[in-house]
Amino acid sequence: MNVKIEPTWKEALENEFSKEYFEQLTAFVKDEYKRGAVYPAPKNIFRAFDLCPFDKVEVVIIGQDPYHGPGQANGLCFAVGEGIPLPPSLQNIYKEIASDMGDRAQSEEVLRSAGRSGDLSRWAEQGVLLLNATLTVRAHSAGSHQNKGWEEFTDAVIKALSDKREHLVFMLWGNYAKAKGAHIDRTKHLVLEAAHPSPFSAHSGFFGCKHFSRANDYLIAHNKRSIDWI
């Protein structure tokens, strides 16, 4: 099957694209787009991979499924399209970065910038794979494309990174993401776990987790470049 995805990812995942589950998944997704609104736009389904080649990945952040409102999903987990108001989870992510990475003046600047843009492509281009466990969703129907094959595919993505790369940072927020951590070799990668950044759970362990500074400390300790989160 000829899947339009960044070449290094196509090579790393080539065995997946010929499997029966992926063929069934592809047929399902194509039919869903014909039936009505599905997010993100077809060209953005593999945007997280296209912006962050396999050999450039340094940090992996795992989400659940895309936002299901008009204009929100842009192919990167937790991110939204340019000019779209920030969802609560992304607001909390910015707040934690502000608290973790800088003094009061810097924190205020982060929050001002958060008000301008929720597109996280600047992270992806630095080596942050913003991976949703499910890559598509029916409009206004959260979780509607779960258990159709995407989870098997993204498990393979995580396992390929774990097996073929070294000294990556995986950020797992919430129980759904933590379950994906079963495919990570923790003897060769850093796995950071915390509560989900949604308003329902952020105060139960996401705020104060300091994942962003901890990730940079780990990358620097392994002779890699830190991520400019701000």
Side-chain angles (χ1 to χ4, degrees):
M1 180 177 295
N2 184 26
V3 177
K4 294 181 179 179
I5 193 171
E6 194 275 335
T8 61
W9 280 107
K10 193 166 191 175
E11 180 180 357
L13 300 170
E14 60 180 344
N15 292 335
E16 296 303 306
F17 300 131
S18 60
K19 291 183 178 179
E20 182 178 1
Y21 88 85
F22 195 86
E23 294 178 356
Q24 293 174 348
L25 170 63
T26 300
F28 167 77
V29 171
K30 286 182 177 178
D31 185 61
E32 284 285 281
Y33 276 105
K34 291 177 183 177
R35 289 174 177 269
V38 172
Y39 302 122
K43 67 179 181 179
N44 286 333
I45 292 175
F46 294 113
R47 186 168 178 246
F49 303 89
D50 296 335
L51 291 179
C52 188
F54 182 81
D55 57 347
K56 302 297 184 184
V57 175
E58 300 296 352
V59 177
V60 182
I61 298 177
I62 299 176
Q64 191 161 343
D65 57 359
Y67 295 118
H68 51 82
Q72 288 185 305
N74 69 357
L76 307 178
C77 74
F78 294 106
V80 290
E82 202 69 49
I84 301 298
L86 268 64
S89 290
L90 185 52
Q91 291 183 40
N92 287 338
I93 289 170
Y94 274 117
K95 289 177 182 177
E96 174 58 22
I97 292 172
S99 172
D100 183 18
M101 301 298 294
D103 59 23
R104 182 179 179 85
Q106 290 174 315
S107 298
E108 291 174 353
E109 175 57 30
V110 170
L111 294 176
R112 281 197 296 272
S113 66
R116 290 198 298 268
S117 174
D119 185 325
L120 301 178
S121 58
R122 65 189 183 281
W123 291 1
E125 290 164 355
Q126 294 179 77
V128 181
L129 180 66
L130 294 158
L131 178 67
N132 273 316
T134 302
L135 300 187
T136 54
V137 68
R138 194 179 305 137
H140 310 298
S141 183
S144 52
H145 285 188
Q146 292 178 8
N147 303 315
K148 301 297 183 181
W150 278 130
E151 293 90 345
E152 186 171 349
F153 175 72
T154 52
D155 281 350
V157 170
I158 294 167
K159 190 174 189 306
L161 286 167
S162 177
D163 291 349
K164 299 177 183 179
R165 297 289 312 281
E166 291 186 347
H167 307 310
L168 303 184
V169 180
F170 291 84
M171 297 184 183
L172 311 180
W173 301 332
N175 292 333
Y176 192 91
K178 290 174 185 176
K180 303 288 275 187
H183 304 281
I184 303 168
D185 182 349
R186 299 180 187 225
T187 67
K188 56 188 288 196
H189 304 288
L190 176 63
V191 178
L192 301 174
E193 298 185 354
H196 194 277
S198 79
F200 300 105
S201 56
H203 288 281
S204 298
F206 179 76
F207 288 139
C209 69
K210 297 188 179 298
H211 280 188
F212 303 96
S213 61
R214 291 171 67 187
N216 279 354
D217 289 345
Y218 180 85
L219 294 175
I220 292 169
H222 290 89
N223 300 312
K224 298 184 177 188
R225 297 181 66 176
S226 62
I227 305 298
D228 180 7
W229 300 107
I230 296 176

